Every structure is written in C-alpha cells, then in structure tokens.
Amino acid sequence: MDRRYTPLRSAAPPSAQPGGISESAPLPPKKKRATVVSVACNDCRRKKIRCDGKRPVCSNCEGSRSRCVYRDEAGLSKDSSETVLEMVSLLNSLPSTDMLPLLRRLNAEADASTVLATLRNARGANEGDNRRNSVSIAAPEAVPAVESVDELAALYSAVYPPLAKSGPDLFDSKLYQELISTLGDMKDDSPENESSSDARTDDPELCDARLYKLNIAQWTSVDIASDLAAKCISLYLKMDHPLLGHFDPDSFISDLVSGQTRFCSPLLVNSLLYWGSQMYSAIDPHTYDLALLFCQEAERWWDAERGHASDSVMKLAATVFLSLGYLAQGRDHAVLRYLAEATDMGTRMGFFGAQEVQSSTSTPTGQGEVGSGESYTAWGVFNWTVLMSLFYHQPGIHTPSGHPRKPIPRVALAATSPSPYMGQTLPYLCHFWKIVHQVTILYHEEDRLPWGSRSSVSFAEFKFRELLAWSQSLPRHLDSQHVNTQHVHIMQSVVLYAKDYLACPCADPAPPPCSMWFHAAVLDIFRPFIRDESLADQKFSTFDGGSYTPRSIYARSTAQLKRLLIEYRLNYASASFSILWHTAMIYVANAILDDDSEDWYYYLLVCVYGYQRLSKSWRVARAISKGLLSMAVKKSHMTGNSARQLLHDLQRPDTNSALKEIRATFMLDLGGSDSPRSSTAEHLADSFEANADLQVYTNLLDD
C-alpha cells in the first residue's frame, strides 16, 4: 500500500521558491515587535488574548460591558487581607526549624483554608511544646508519641482531630466551674419553682406540626394534657430517636394523630411516654410523676397482647422502650427480661438471622410503609441490644445471632420528609453497630478468641480498621469538622456552636453520642490487651511505620473521649436531657482512675456533676455518681471524708416515694479484678459508706 508522508521540505527547487521569490532575494523587513505589557487587565488574562495595557481601559475592553480592571489596582478584600496577615503572623511565630518542612508540605496545596488550618495547628502544637507543666484538656502525657507523619490524624481526622492543649488555668476558668456547679440547678426542684411558669420557659416547639392535633386520650388512660404529651414525644423524636430509631417516625406520627392503628398502638404510645416523660421532667418536673403511671399502663397492654401471642412491629418496639425505661429509672429487675423478649420476638418474626441483609440502596419487594417500619424496628432493636452487650457489660444479655435481614432504613431527606429533624444519622449508626456486633459475640458471649496470641491482636486491629473506614464514610455534616447540632458528638466535634439544641432543630442533626460511642468501642476492643504487658505494646501490622499498638490507640481514644466530654457538656443542653451519651462518663472515669493521671480529679468532677444534672430525669444517674465516688475511694484516690462532702453536694431529694431502691446491675468498674457483681454500679453505690469508713480507718492506722 502506498503511504503518503508530509514532505520535510518544499518540493520546489531552491532557485524557484513559491511565490517567485529567489533564494538570493533580500528578506522582507521584520515587523516591529509590539511593546511588552507588564500587566494585562484581568479580562484579557482570563481570555488569554494580547492586551495593550492602556489605562484606564485597554483597547479590547473598549465598548465592552465588562469592567477593565488590572490586578495591581484591584487590591484584596477585607477577608483576604486578614487571611494573608494571619498566615504571615503564624509563619513568623514558628521556629525556623519547623517553618521550612511546613512550607515544603504546603507547597502544592491550593486551598487557602487548608493552608490556614495547617498553620494554626502547627502553632498550637509549638505553643503546647513550649508550655511546661501544662495541663491538657484531652491530650494527657499518657498518649505515646507517634512518628512525624501521623496516619490517624492525616487520614481519619473525623475521629482523631488534633488536640489543642491548654494551661492549668483551664480548670479555674468560669466555663469549667459551670460544669461542676449545682447553683441554678437545685432551685428548680423547690415546690415554689415547680409551680411557677418559669419551669416551662424553655419548652421547645414541637418538631412536627402534626403533633399539635394530638388527642392523647384515645391512646392512654393516664391523666395527661395532649399538649404536654406532644411535647414529651417531640423531645424524644429530636433527642433520642435519631440514635435509637425503634419505629418509622413519619408513619407513627400520622397514625398517632389520626387514631389509626397500622403503625401506632396504645402499648407503643404508653411505652414511649414512659421514656419520654422521664426525659421531659428536666423541663417540667411534674411529668416525672407520670412516668410510673405510663409504665403500669404499658405493662397492662403488654400482658394483654402477650396472652394472644400477637407478635408485631409495634409490640417489638414497645418492649424495647419498657427495657429502656426500667434501666433509666433504676428498676433493673425487668431490664433483661424485656430485652430478651424483644430479641426472641424479633427472631420469631424473621428479622434476625445469619443470611445476608439486602442492600440498603435497593428497593425490596413490598418495601412501602410496612417494610420501612419493619426496617426501623429490626435495626433499632439490634442496635440497642449490641450497645447494651458492649457498653453495659451486664451478664445475661444476648444479642441476635446475626444482623437484621431487613434493609437498613433509608431516612428521607429534609426537603422531602415531613420530619426533617431526623437527619441522616440512623443509617450510619446501623453500619457502626453491625461492625461492633462481632466484638460483642466474641468478647462477651462466646469468649472464643485465643487471648495472648497474635490472632487476638490481629482481630482487634481488623475491627479497628473497620471502624476507621466507617468514620471515612460519614458525610460532611456528620464528621467532627462540620458539626451543626446536638446529634454527631456521641460521632464527633471540634468547634460546637449550638448552645441549646432545643431551639435549633437542624435538618441534619449529628448526634454527639455517636463519636463518643466510637471511642468507647475502641477502648473496649483494646482493653483486654492493656492488662497484659506482653500484648499492650505489640505493634500493628497494617499501619505504616509500626508505631501503633493497643496501648497507644487506647490512650489516644481516651484523650479524644475526654475532649468530647468537656465539649458536649459545655455546648449542648441535651447533656442534661438525654442519658444515651453517659457511657462516655463511665469510660473516662475508669481511664483516669486506672491511669492515675494528674488531672484525674478535674475529670472526675466533670463526670459526677454530669450525672448530677441527669439525675433530675434519670434516677439511675444517682447510683452511678455514688458508685464512681465509691470507686475513687476504693482505689485510694480520694479520702472518705472528701467523698462524703462531695456526695452531699451532689444529692438531690428523690420525690418519687413509690420507688425505694435504685437498681443498677451493669458494670461500673470496667477494669476491676473483683467478681463481676462487686464491680456493678449498684454494689459500688451500696458499698460507698463501707469504702469511705475503711479509707478513714486505714489512714488513721497509717498515721
């Protein structure tokens, strides 16, 4: 085949160039080069055309609608100027040894906000290093140093953001004093204040306009006003439902208001109000007296339906609410019974099992409202049983053998849902508890891991990797750097803006308990290795550099949990309403008392006063705070007399005469070497006086 190539030179003879110009003919004169313009106008630069640089308007911009502006005339905006000045100031504050490596790292970074954040973190780290004898908010000295390139901070900043250090004046600050004060809190319990309207000035608006039409008399015989019942339900839906998700909220509210019984029942309503009235008593103390009445009403309905052997989604959800209500009210004798009933019922209904769950992005046959309600309840029950098994360490709790067969609930977006307060939290939590489920099975139920072997550390490292991958899947509104409401802390936060979530129902709430649960799960995964010196410093195999060990990860998650605890209590009113986050206080208290850190007393006060605030609604908080003080005395951190004085400041009168003792049979001393029973919140609280007396007599003998 003939191929034609482009000729390298002209085919015409040299003596006869195209155009009749002879080779020896003189060349035409060169065109005079245009004057070089040092600065082109912005419009010409954008179009990449030659600009003659005429001022005030170049030739190209004459007659054009666009304004002819030169970059040397435009100047910087106020924000840009402030940013530049701050960057220069930050660079000047760094030592030269730190500045050059930092500039090399930022050389390819085009985002100004990223550059500014990096410089701020660098200065914060430098100031922290130069500040001797400093007390850290959440980065104690126990956190081992890692290599210069921190993989956790670089890749998983949603759960391991940089920790800012602070001087010793932190614990003398006004903000900290607010956390350990009962002033302005106990006065609400006085009869004159309870009868006044002041107790209701902070009532939130209802989260769903349909609740204004509620006629509660068609669901319960308990004497409660419909508007008050609506407020209790609304508070639960905003605070706890994105974390629990025991029913489809839209279908439930629709039937609740219209009187239909497809997605609502007297059993479910009374069980829900048993929980919701306890929560709302932080706003209106009168509702606490109604809690026991709702419990009695719910149990009558439960017994009646049980007699007919009528398993249903509504009965399943109600059973979990009864377990929750008993736990929080300190009536522990029925907690495990209702929890076991819920697990058995869900298994009978085919919700739980080992077969693969359908994809949450698919649309199963017959999904609709009924399928959506089943998904909510199946995953809500599963999530709560896993949480109870992992965090409460209470013997007798059994989780389902497999995760739900139902698809993970698909929460409607705010723009299309009548209940935008729900956000997108629940689906991500379902994935979280699915990851943790195997930990509860192997650690607490079957105890099949060969502890002391490399395989046990490998399993823990694998689960840690799964949790880190989960943190990366969170959308921006759920990660620590983009928090906007009460809900991602118990997932994460760095800067919190909403002082009172009740007045700020946002479209995508990110529950604080979620990030607290993340780090609490990490502590549970690695706690068995911390007790064994041969395993505590065993290096992980899947991290670069090999600098991560069970001990170092345990310390880092403890530091993050301490930070979250301070920030949540300072910034969210929900810290006094919802008890779902209190796991963070138990885990922080255990960490500081076991490690004997210098700041243990300050964090212990944050925990026990946190429970003091919760005790207004939740009786079990009284036993926990007393149990923590008993632990501190037992571990020789506090004198018996000091503990008694502190307990006297914490105690508030128990106005419910129908309830005598407070039951709390879950584990409180997580690292105790004693028998499980002696490590429970109930036993430690009951042993407070004995421990305090023993400490006093021991000191006398020592003297």
Side-chain angles (χ1 to χ4, degrees):
M1 172 183 283
D2 294 337
R3 295 186 180 179
R4 297 182 178 179
Y5 297 94
T6 303
L8 295 177
R9 62 178 63 188
S10 176
S15 59
Q17 295 293 336
I21 302 176
S22 171
E23 186 180 13
S24 60
L27 295 175
K30 294 182 179 180
K31 292 184 178 180
K32 187 177 181 181
R33 188 171 183 178
T35 304
V36 178
V37 178
S38 59
V39 179
C41 75
N42 293 344
D43 199 46
C44 290
R45 290 173 59 243
R46 180 177 57 81
K47 296 178 181 179
K48 296 183 179 180
I49 60 177
R50 186 182 299 277
C51 180
D52 59 12
K54 289 184 178 180
R55 306 291 181 105
V57 181
C58 73
S59 300
N60 295 328
C61 291
E62 286 183 355
S64 174
R65 294 183 179 179
S66 61
R67 184 185 171 197
C68 186
V69 178
Y70 291 82
R71 61 185 179 187
D72 59 348
E73 296 175 348
L76 294 175
S77 65
K78 180 180 178 181
D79 292 341
S80 298
S81 299
E82 292 176 351
T83 300
V84 171
L85 289 174
E86 183 177 359
M87 286 183 177
V88 173
S89 175
L90 290 170
L91 284 171
N92 288 334
S93 67
L94 297 174
S96 57
T97 54
D98 294 342
M99 186 186 304
L100 292 178
L102 186 62
L103 290 176
R104 292 192 194 102
R105 184 153 61 103
L106 295 174
N107 184 44
E109 181 57 60
D111 183 34
S113 60
T114 302
V115 174
L116 188 58
T118 303
L119 292 174
R120 287 171 176 168
N121 291 336
R123 183 179 67 175
N126 180 65
E127 290 177 350
D129 292 338
N130 293 335
R131 189 184 299 117
R132 293 188 176 184
N133 301 321
S134 64
V135 178
S136 169
I137 295 179
E141 294 179 359
V143 180
V146 296
E147 56 189 54
S148 57
V149 179
D150 188 345
E151 184 174 346
L152 290 184
L155 300 180
Y156 308 104
S157 60
V159 286
Y160 289 101
L163 293 171
K165 293 185 177 181
S166 179
D169 57 339
L170 163 71
F171 299 112
D172 295 326
S173 67
K174 182 179 179 181
L175 287 176
Y176 177 79
Q177 295 303 317
E178 290 180 4
L179 299 182
I180 60 171
S181 172
T182 58
L183 296 177
D185 184 53
M186 294 292 291
K187 65 181 181 181
D188 292 335
D189 290 327
S190 60
E192 59 270 19
N193 280 314
E194 288 184 3
S195 60
S196 69
S197 60
D198 293 342
R200 296 174 176 79
T201 55
D202 293 330
D203 280 356
E205 293 184 1
L206 300 184
C207 64
D208 193 306
R210 291 174 292 179
L211 289 174
Y212 287 103
K213 302 177 182 178
L214 174 63
N215 176 17
I216 196 61
Q218 60 187 330
W219 298 108
T220 182
S221 61
V222 176
D223 185 16
I224 182 175
S226 293
D227 62 334
L228 181 56
K231 291 175 182 177
C232 293
I233 294 172
S234 176
L235 185 62
Y236 160 77
L237 289 172
K238 288 198 295 185
M239 291 288 184
D240 286 353
H241 194 72
L243 300 171
L244 298 175
H246 292 149
F247 52 77
D248 184 332
D250 290 335
S251 300
F252 170 78
I253 293 177
S254 179
D255 280 14
L256 175 70
V257 173
S258 63
Q260 301 298 313
T261 56
R262 290 183 67 205
F263 306 102
C264 189
S265 70
L267 171 59
L268 179 55
V269 172
N270 283 276
S271 301
L272 170 58
L273 284 172
Y274 177 34
W275 177 262
S277 58
Q278 291 183 68
M279 176 183 290
Y280 198 80
S281 64
I283 297 175
D284 184 353
H286 293 296
T287 60
Y288 195 89
D289 297 330
L290 300 173
L292 196 57
L293 299 177
F294 281 121
C295 177
Q296 295 169 352
E297 180 87 346
E299 287 185 317
R300 284 195 294 269
W301 281 103
W302 199 91
D303 290 336
E305 293 192 19
R306 185 184 184 187
H308 295 292
S310 54
D311 292 344
S312 68
V313 170
M314 291 172 289
K315 183 180 178 183
L316 180 56
T319 304
V320 181
F321 277 120
L322 284 171
S323 178
L324 276 163
Y326 268 98
L327 177 67
Q329 206 173 32
R331 303 167 64 197
D332 202 82
H333 60 280
V335 171
L336 296 184
R337 176 169 66 88
Y338 281 118
L339 203 59
E341 290 277 4
T343 302
D344 293 342
M345 192 186 310
T347 303
R348 290 195 303 267
M349 297 175 69
F351 288 171
F352 308 129
Q355 81 176 44
E356 186 63 27
V357 68
Q358 295 175 344
S359 171
S360 61
T361 58
S362 63
T363 304
T365 303
Q367 171 73 7
E369 287 184 288
V370 174
S372 176
E374 291 179 346
S375 293
Y376 269 97
T377 303
W379 281 97
V381 173
F382 173 80
N383 295 349
W384 181 248
T385 55
V386 174
L387 183 152
M388 285 284 291
S389 177
L390 185 69
F391 293 156
Y392 284 79
H393 305 272
Q394 186 165 335
I397 296 179
H398 295 286
T399 60
S401 58
H403 53 77
R405 297 175 178 178
K406 297 295 179 180
I408 290 176
R410 291 168 293 173
V411 181
L413 295 176
T416 60
S417 171
S419 55
Y421 50 85
M422 274 299 297
Q424 298 292 310
T425 301
L426 184 62
Y428 292 93
L429 272 178
C430 292
H431 287 290
F432 173 80
W433 293 118
K434 183 179 175 182
I435 294 171
V436 174
H437 176 240
Q438 192 177 5
V439 177
T440 66
I441 296 293
L442 294 180
Y443 277 39
H444 302 305
E445 294 189 15
E446 299 181 8
D447 197 21
R448 296 188 306 191
L449 276 180
W451 297 113
S453 67
R454 175 67 213 182
S455 59
S456 60
V457 179
S458 297
F459 173 80
E461 182 179 357
F462 169 71
K463 280 299 171 183
F464 181 53
R465 277 291 193 187
E466 279 195 302
L467 290 175
L468 290 176
W470 170 82
S471 72
Q472 286 188 313
S473 71
L474 298 176
R476 289 172 67 86
H477 65 270
L478 291 185
D479 70 28
S480 65
Q481 313 298 327
H482 302 88
V483 171
N484 49 18
T485 68
Q486 183 267 110
H487 287 213
V488 169
H489 222 301
I490 296 183
M491 279 188 253
Q492 188 94 30
S493 79
V494 174
V495 180
L496 308 177
Y497 300 99
K499 264 293 185 183
D500 190 346
Y501 172 66
L502 296 179
C504 182
C506 301
D508 283 303
C514 301
S515 57
M516 296 181 185
W517 288 343
F518 173 93
H519 291 290
V522 171
L523 295 186
D524 272 331
I525 289 173
F526 292 112
R527 183 177 289 108
F529 307 101
I530 302 303
R531 303 168 185 164
D532 189 335
E533 289 296 328
S534 64
L535 297 176
D537 296 315
Q538 189 166 321
K539 294 182 178 180
F540 295 156
S541 60
T542 63
F543 289 87
D544 293 337
S547 60
Y548 296 115
T549 64
R551 192 194 305 275
S552 68
I553 299 302
Y554 188 91
R556 293 185 67 139
S557 277
T558 298
Q560 294 289 344
L561 205 54
K562 292 166 76 173
R563 173 184 63 84
L564 290 168
L565 173 60
I566 293 287
E567 291 179 346
Y568 185 42
R569 284 212 54 208
L570 279 176
N571 291 278
Y572 287 113
S574 57
S576 300
F577 293 92
S578 175
I579 198 173
L580 297 182
W581 67 279
H582 85 100
T583 298
M585 293 192 287
I586 291 181
Y587 280 53
V588 166
N590 273 268
I592 60 176
L593 293 179
D594 288 342
D595 294 341
D596 197 18
S597 58
E598 293 182 359
D599 54 8
W600 70 268
Y601 184 69
Y602 300 102
Y603 283 102
L604 180 65
L605 291 183
V606 172
C607 293
V608 294
Y609 278 96
Y611 279 113
Q612 193 271 343
R613 297 292 176 88
L614 288 173
S615 67
K616 192 172 183 179
S617 295
W618 316 103
R619 290 180 79 243
V620 73
R622 306 168 189 263
I624 299 175
S625 59
K626 189 175 182 180
L628 290 179
L629 291 177
S630 182
M631 275 178 59
V633 173
K634 185 178 180 181
K635 294 177 183 288
S636 301
H637 285 273
M638 182 179 291
T639 66
N641 290 332
S642 297
R644 285 192 177 100
Q645 293 176 0
L646 185 54
L647 183 63
H648 180 268
D649 187 42
L650 292 170
Q651 285 181 331
R652 59 166 76 245
D654 192 348
T655 58
N656 198 321
S657 58
L659 301 175
K660 301 297 183 182
E661 60 180 353
I662 300 178
R663 302 298 310 278
T665 58
F666 51 86
M667 297 285 286
L668 186 59
D669 186 357
L670 304 180
S673 58
D674 300 333
S675 64
R677 183 186 177 280
S678 63
S679 299
T680 64
E682 177 179 290
H683 179 82
L684 286 167
D686 292 341
S687 304
F688 175 83
E689 289 298 334
N691 288 333
D693 287 340
L694 179 62
Q695 196 280 333
V696 172
Y697 294 144
T698 301
N699 280 356
L700 288 175
L701 292 174
D702 289 343
D703 292 341

